[in-house]
Amino acid sequence: LDGFSRRLLALRVSRKTPTTAGMLRLVFRAMRSAGTSRFLVTDHGCQFGGKFKRALAKRGVTVVQGRVHSPTFNGLVERFFCTWKFWQRATLLFWKTDSIQRRLDSWATWYNTRRPMWVLGGRTPDEVWRGEPLPESWTCRERDSVQPVFRVVRRHHAGDLRVAAAG
């Protein structure tokens, strides 16, 4: 997940806890498609140990790990997982890894291209990634040229203005 645009760069399902080699493949795949960043923020999973850090250091990437039990440090990813879990509870009814991955790929496309985010000014992650500007805003003030027009029609019953007609 890119920290600036919140664009989802890679998402992979695995049957077991990912290994260091599996995580490196995922990170390198994201780097091929999106470019190499200076920092990579991770948690303290066993797959993010010395071998992982050394492999990324060779490419000029610094691995940053927050303190244990500090979910706010990696808040962007935590918020992403909140969104993903909500979707997953409603739609993920498949049991095979391949079908789950296909669904995740289609969801990632939707997340990056169609889901506007308030924090991004109503733009999608792909729009921010491409550097598209915010749309021009327009104001609606009291002095605008459009004036509302009201027409009041009084209906009464049998000539008595105090009794409203039914219907």
Side-chain angles (χ1 to χ4, degrees):
L1 192 67
D2 177 61
F4 173 72
S5 68
R6 288 171 168 71
R7 184 174 193 260
L8 186 59
L9 302 176
L11 185 62
R12 209 62 212 142
V13 66
S14 61
R15 291 180 188 268
K16 299 178 183 176
T17 302
T19 62
T20 299
M23 290 308 298
L24 284 171
R25 279 192 302 274
L26 182 69
V27 169
F28 292 154
R29 189 180 86 196
M31 285 181 179
R32 278 192 304 277
S33 68
T36 303
S37 65
R38 292 184 351 201
F39 302 100
L40 179 68
V41 179
T42 69
D43 60 12
H44 286 270
C46 60
Q47 61 272 40
F48 302 121
K51 182 180 175 185
F52 184 81
K53 291 177 185 177
R54 285 189 299 277
L56 288 174
K58 288 179 183 177
R59 294 185 179 222
V61 178
T62 303
V63 176
V64 179
Q65 292 180 318
R67 291 183 2 198
V68 177
H69 301 298
S70 60
T72 56
F73 175 77
N74 205 2
L76 296 177
V77 173
E78 297 298 334
R79 179 62 181 101
F80 164 77
F81 279 124
C82 178
T83 301
W84 180 76
K85 285 178 183 177
F86 180 76
W87 169 82
Q88 174 257 359
R89 282 187 202 118
T91 63
L92 202 57
L93 302 173
F94 307 100
W95 295 101
K96 293 185 177 179
T97 307
D98 295 344
S99 59
I100 293 172
Q101 187 61 53
R102 279 194 303 276
R103 293 285 293 166
L104 287 177
D105 291 342
S106 67
W107 184 79
T109 301
W110 169 83
Y111 181 88
N112 284 334
T113 60
R114 305 237 180 212
R115 184 180 184 263
M117 296 186 188
W118 171 83
V119 75
L120 300 176
R123 294 177 291 176
T124 65
D126 272 358
E127 291 170 341
V128 174
W129 182 262
R130 290 189 302 263
E132 294 181 13
L134 286 168
E136 275 191 46
S137 61
W138 57 276
T139 57
C140 181
R141 296 184 304 268
E142 213 173 285
R143 289 184 225 120
D144 282 345
S145 61
V146 176
Q147 296 293 322
V149 177
F150 295 97
R151 183 172 160 229
V152 178
V153 177
R154 176 102 186 196
R155 299 182 189 272
H156 53 84
H157 180 68
D160 189 351
L161 296 175
R162 294 173 292 174
V163 179

